[in-house]
Amino acid sequence: MRRLSRRNTIDIVKDIDAFPKVPESCVVTSAFGGTVSLIVFILMALLAISEYLVYQDTWMKYEYKVDTDFTSKLKIKIDITVAMKCEKVGADVLDIAGNVIASKELKYDPVSFEPSPKRQMWYQILQQIQNNLREERSLQDVLFKSALKGYFSDPVPGNDSESEPQNACRIHGQIYVSKVAGNFHITLGKPIETIRGHAHFASLLKNEAVYNFSHRIDHLSFGNDVPGHINPLDGTEKIAFEQNMLFQYFITVVPTKLHTSNVSVDMHQFSVTERERVVIQEKGSHGVFGIFVKYKLSPLMVSVSEEHMPLSVFLVRLCGIIGGIFSTSDLLHRLIGYFVDIICCRFKLGANQEVTKEVLTD
């Protein structure tokens, strides 16, 4: 009884077999079928390799939400070279609440405005990268990944030789400001506090006729440092071809959270609009000549995360590729074989008819 029930179970399992086997004696191979099989295997290998490369790669995912952090301080890192001597210029930050910052945090170093050959080469490369970033935004994803993997070093090469004429002033340092709109400015005279408010002590410099505010921005960033991240104004150079120029940069700072499997960084990106004009009070072009960086913070925060294809998705896609190629190739093979058989039958039928006619004629 046990043997009988076991045989019945095996018979039932055989009846539900969805993959019936054909005896080898009934299988006929052909050169055409072998060629199709070879093409199928090559195509399958190429698609499987390409799918594996996609699985190995990552992409950046962008999400947007409201920034709720208003109490923490925002770091501004500055490195600007102005084509005037240090005793003639002063820099600080004035926010919308009336707070004055950076009078002591910034350092003033006399340097040469003309860059060394090494620096000049670096600026050319940096400006080329900036141009490419404006044309192709997807390059920013490459920079994010490269920065996190440490492919880049410090954003600015070493200092120039001290043998060069010290005709400029390098203003650099980092300051912490409240998360409100404000402006960082470089203008004539050192900043001072008066009863009426904020001012720059420039009365001793009014005898000079020309003030050259040509400048080069080596680095300007907001928030935490991310090695290798290139900011929009890094490498910017402005030459004042006329006297008493006013240079303005209007910046919108966007808080950004950068997350990957290895690194999590809170940083700030920003967009900038530039404007420059000549200040001539007699002709109605009013203003204060100098360099003004006016910034405001966006209420939205961007979350950038590095996404990777899950292993389960990769296996499903790989099975789909293999199964799809097998099914499609089998269908094409059957269709081509069907049409070939029809053509051969017609050819044989025509040949038989001609032989019959010849026999009847004889």
Side-chain angles (χ1 to χ4, degrees):
M1 292 295 293
R2 291 183 178 178
R3 291 183 179 179
L4 183 60
S5 61
R6 184 175 181 182
R7 288 181 180 179
N8 292 336
T9 304
I10 295 175
D11 292 337
I12 294 174
V13 173
K14 287 183 178 181
D15 291 337
I16 64 174
D17 185 8
F19 306 97
K21 307 298 184 296
V22 179
E24 294 185 1
S25 59
C26 300
V27 177
V28 178
T29 59
S30 63
F32 174 72
T35 304
V36 173
S37 300
L38 182 61
I39 294 174
V40 167
F41 290 144
I42 294 175
L43 182 60
M44 190 184 304
L46 292 176
L47 291 178
I49 292 173
S50 65
E51 190 65 25
Y52 178 74
L53 294 177
V54 173
Y55 170 71
Q56 289 291 98
D57 195 16
T58 59
W59 62 90
M60 308 308 293
K61 180 181 178 182
Y62 294 81
E63 296 178 337
Y64 303 89
K65 54 186 177 181
V66 177
D67 182 21
T68 57
D69 182 13
F70 301 105
T71 58
S72 61
K73 294 290 185 178
L74 176 64
K75 182 177 74 172
I76 304 178
K77 190 173 182 179
I78 302 162
D79 193 343
I80 301 177
T81 302
V82 185
M84 294 182 66
K85 294 186 176 182
C86 293
E87 59 267 17
K88 297 180 181 179
V89 294
D92 58 1
V93 175
L94 179 64
D95 63 23
I96 197 173
N99 299 319
V100 181
I101 313 166
S103 299
K104 299 179 180 179
E105 288 82 354
L106 296 177
K107 299 178 181 179
Y108 298 79
D109 297 332
V111 295
S112 173
F113 189 73
E114 293 298 326
S116 63
K118 183 179 179 180
R119 266 183 183 252
Q120 186 63 38
M121 183 179 298
W122 173 260
Y123 291 136
Q124 292 175 357
I125 296 173
L126 192 56
Q127 290 170 3
Q128 184 64 37
I129 294 175
Q130 295 282 25
N131 294 333
N132 292 337
L133 281 172
R134 295 186 185 100
E135 296 174 0
E136 184 58 58
R137 294 301 303 170
S138 62
L139 288 178
Q140 186 61 61
D141 294 349
V142 179
L143 290 176
F144 275 143
K145 297 178 185 178
S146 301
L148 295 175
K149 295 176 182 178
Y151 289 165
F152 293 93
S153 58
D154 294 337
V156 182
N159 294 331
D160 296 332
S161 174
E162 297 181 357
S163 60
E164 299 291 335
Q166 310 296 303
N167 57 357
C169 183
R170 179 192 174 203
I171 303 174
H172 61 99
Q174 58 186 30
I175 53 180
Y176 291 86
V177 299
S178 300
K179 286 191 171 182
V180 295
N183 75 84
F184 166 75
H185 51 271
I186 302 174
T187 187
L188 284 178
K190 301 300 180 182
I192 57 174
E193 291 297 325
T194 64
I195 299 176
R196 296 185 177 181
H198 176 66
H200 282 255
F201 188 72
S203 59
L204 299 178
L205 306 175
K206 291 184 178 180
N207 295 329
E208 296 194 17
V210 180
Y211 302 108
N212 183 11
F213 279 98
S214 299
H215 61 280
R216 184 184 302 108
I217 301 176
D218 292 331
H219 184 77
L220 178 63
S221 64
F222 295 82
N224 296 326
D225 297 332
V226 178
H229 177 62
I230 298 178
N231 299 282
L233 288 177
D234 291 354
T236 299
E237 184 179 69
K238 295 291 184 179
I239 303 299
F241 295 102
E242 299 186 41
Q243 62 181 10
N244 302 338
M245 290 286 296
L246 169 62
F247 297 93
Q248 293 176 305
Y249 300 93
F250 300 93
I251 290 177
T252 300
V253 183
V254 181
T256 305
K257 289 185 177 293
L258 190 59
H259 300 280
T260 68
S261 58
N262 298 322
V263 179
S264 180
V265 180
D266 291 340
M267 56 181 294
H268 289 73
Q269 302 182 90
F270 64 88
S271 61
V272 59
T273 301
E274 304 175 14
R275 183 187 176 192
E276 58 185 70
R277 61 184 176 89
V278 181
V279 177
I280 305 178
Q281 306 290 350
E282 295 80 7
K283 296 184 179 181
S285 180
H286 301 289
V288 179
F289 35 82
I291 305 165
F292 289 81
V293 180
K294 299 183 179 181
Y295 63 89
K296 63 179 181 179
L297 278 83
S298 171
L300 293 179
M301 180 179 64
V302 180
S303 178
V304 185
S305 57
E306 189 176 15
E307 296 290 322
H308 186 276
M309 181 187 296
L311 179 60
S312 58
V313 176
F314 168 69
L315 294 177
V316 170
R317 290 167 64 102
L318 192 61
C319 293
I321 289 175
I322 296 174
I325 291 178
F326 266 120
S327 301
T328 305
S329 61
D330 181 64
L331 177 62
L332 293 176
H333 180 263
R334 291 177 182 272
L335 288 175
I336 294 174
Y338 174 74
F339 287 115
V340 169
D341 290 341
I342 292 177
I343 295 172
C344 291
C345 288
R346 290 184 176 181
F347 179 77
K348 290 180 180 180
L349 181 61
N352 291 334
Q353 290 177 353
E354 291 180 359
V355 171
T356 303
K357 288 180 180 180
E358 292 178 358
V359 171
L360 292 176
T361 303
D362 293 341

